């Protein structure tokens, strides 16, 4: 059963303030995501490409990342991830290498240009997160109170 077809939870007694908290939280998340998407577009990347660069950076700091690992991280099908990595490679931000131990696996890593563009995006995104953090902290406190009820 898809999430859209799941039965609604039993009736809860939500107040107008509860709905306002949920709406405010969704608005704040969407506003940040819109900022991050525009930030990625400003350097010629899609939001998904930016997310891929970030996932590759985090994973390869501790161990190699295969295309399959990236697909799982991004919640994409393998063939879609192959195409995504191909576009990142063509742009000069990522590279593919055949795994030395398992020739069926393809590892993906960032190039110096990929590292640079990711660093620039991350500085800007973290600056934005610091600006909105106080508002989110208040909203998260309100959400905690909702879940306690």
């Amino acid at each position: 059963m898809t999430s859209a077809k799941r039965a609604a939870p039993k009736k809860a007694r939500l107040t107008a303030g509860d709905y306002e908290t949920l709406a405010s939280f969704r608005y704040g998340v969407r506003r940040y995501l819109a900022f991050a998407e525009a930030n990625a577009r400003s350097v010629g990347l899609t939001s998904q490409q930016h997310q891929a660069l970030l996932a590759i950076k985090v994973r390869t700091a501790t161990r190699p990342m295969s295309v399959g690992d990236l697909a799982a991280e991004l919640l994409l099908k393998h063939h879609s991830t192959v195409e995504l990595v191909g576009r990142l490679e063509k742009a000069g931000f990522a590279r593919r290498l055949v795994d030395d131990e398992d020739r069926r696996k393809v590892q993906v890593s960032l190039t110096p240009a990929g590292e640079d563009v990711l660093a620039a995006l991350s500085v800007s995104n973290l600056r934005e997160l610091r600006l909105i953090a106080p508002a989110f902290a208040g909203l998260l406190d309100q959400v905690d109170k909702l879940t306690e009820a």
Side-chain angles (χ1 to χ4, degrees), residues 5 12-13 15-16 26 28 30-31 35 37 41 49 73 76 79-80 90 95 97-98 100 111 113 124 137 148-149:
K5 294 183 180 179
R13 302 206 188 272
T15 67
R26 287 183 58 88
R30 189 62 203 123
R31 189 170 163 191
F35 172 86
E37 290 165 9
R41 277 193 310 274
Q49 289 170 328
E73 180 75 23
L76 294 174
H79 68 276
S80 298
K90 185 176 180 181
R95 69 176 144 258
L97 298 165
V98 175
D100 289 334
T111 64
S124 181
E148 293 171 359

Side-chain angles (χ1 to χ4, degrees), residues 4 6 10 31 35 71 75 82 100 120 136 146 148:
R6 287 188 189 137
K10 297 200 184 219
R31 189 170 163 191
F35 172 86
L75 305 175
V82 169
D100 289 334
F136 268 100
L146 290 177
E148 293 171 359

Side-chain angles (χ1 to χ4, degrees), residues 63-98:
R63 62 186 189 274
M65 177 175 248
S66 69
V67 172
D69 295 333
L70 183 59
E73 180 75 23
L74 298 177
L75 305 175
L76 294 174
K77 296 202 181 290
H78 188 270
H79 68 276
S80 298
T81 308
V82 169
E83 292 173 14
L84 176 64
V85 171
R87 289 189 299 274
L88 289 171
E89 191 172 39
K90 185 176 180 181
F93 297 138
R95 69 176 144 258
R96 291 184 259 205
L97 298 165
V98 175

Side-chain angles (χ1 to χ4, degrees), residues 1-18:
M1 183 181 299
T2 66
S3 59
K5 294 183 180 179
R6 287 188 189 137
K10 297 200 184 219
K11 287 186 179 179
R13 302 206 188 272
L14 298 175
T15 67
D18 295 338

